[in-house]
Amino acid sequence: MKNRSLISISDYSKEEIMQILEIAAEFEKKPHQNLLNGRVIASLFFEPSTRTRLSFESAIQKLGGNVIGFSSAATSSVQKGESLKDTILTVCNYSDLIVMRHPVDGSARFASEVASVPIINAGDGANQHPTQCLLDLYSIQKTQGTLENLEVTFVGDLKYGRTVHSLVIALCQFNTKFHLVSPVELKLPSAVKRHIKEANLQYEQYTDFSEVIPKSDIIYMTRIQRERFPDPLEYEKVKNAYILDNSMLSNAKENCRILHPLPRVNEISINVDDNPKAYYFEQALNGVFVRQALIASILGLK
Ligand code: CP
């Protein structure tokens, strides 16, 4: 992993994923370690974020590093017409590693091709969100005691959901049985389903949500993302397609946990928050340890 960019979860082997999760567990036990010793990490967010940006910044500060960057394209020279290439070439002069979120699919790969320092993709359009995937895997392993042989249900925007794309691809390495719940318009793209088929694993697609709850070890809820719809009327048709309410969890398995990359709008009722099966805020905390592990590994410090 040393000096390598992380653009897609497919960039990491199963062994490398497991190594990151092991290192993350070490950081969870001992989060404050002065490994970065003044190194500079650039955090370039061309698209809004709360968890990814702040958990990266928290991870860097717990490791003794410094963060530079911007939280919106509006406060950078992109506003004056600067290209992504010129921005990346410039920021490479100031930093040891770049964490980048961008609204365009493929932008992170492009940045890694022009950069002289490693790039971590913090989400590129509707494509990939590999660091979210690593923290999702960490959360699944922590709550289930294993990543192998689980039944995982994905609910909501499976078409544009980059966290879904990354996690489905990663779980293909762990003999997962997939339940895919979405409106017809928001089905998982064929390119992602191809990974499931190539791994000889099973998936079933549903439009109704309730029938899969009793089968699920993990229920991975997602937001219907208004910002990804080319036509706002299409968003209006599906925006309330799935709302998980506490009463729906009465026949869930004992070990079942509810995950959500967040932010949520209304797809998980707030009455679920106090249910012991709700794990989404702990999931967000796990992002700090996983991102510490990732930074330390890429900079060759672990
Ligand atoms: N999960 C996630 O990417 O959240 P943010 O958009 O708040 O970073």
Side-chain angles (χ1 to χ4, degrees), residues 44-48 69-81 103:
L44 309 185
F45 279 71
F46 297 87
E47 193 186 60
F70 47 82
S71 58
S72 151
T75 60
S76 77
S77 286
V78 170
Q79 191 68 10
K80 303 174 197 161

Side-chain angles (χ1 to χ4, degrees), residues 45 48-53 101 122 129 132 162-163 261-263:
F45 279 71
S49 168
T50 296
R51 277 145 293 274
T52 310
R53 186 172 69 81
R101 169 171 290 187
H129 196 341
Q132 177 72 40
R162 60 193 175 196
T163 69
L262 304 177

Side-chain angles (χ1 to χ4, degrees), residues 262-278:
L262 304 177
R264 93 175 129 180
V265 181
N266 64 348
E267 60 279 0
I268 302 180
S269 301
I270 54 168
N271 65 21
V272 178
D273 294 357
D274 294 328
N275 188 314
K277 298 186 191 316

Side-chain angles (χ1 to χ4, degrees), residues 151-169:
E151 294 204 27
V152 180
T153 297
F154 289 87
V155 183
D157 180 358
L158 311 192
K159 179 178 180 182
Y160 298 115
R162 60 193 175 196
T163 69
V164 172
H165 304 163
S166 295
L167 187 55
V168 167
I169 291 168

Side-chain angles (χ1 to χ4, degrees), residues 5 12 58 63 78 100 128 171 183 203 211-212 217 252 254 271:
S5 294
Y12 280 1
S58 176
L63 294 173
V78 170
M100 184 182 104
Q128 282 270 325
L171 284 173
Y203 70 86
E211 65 175 295
V212 289
D217 297 303
E254 190 59 37
N271 65 21

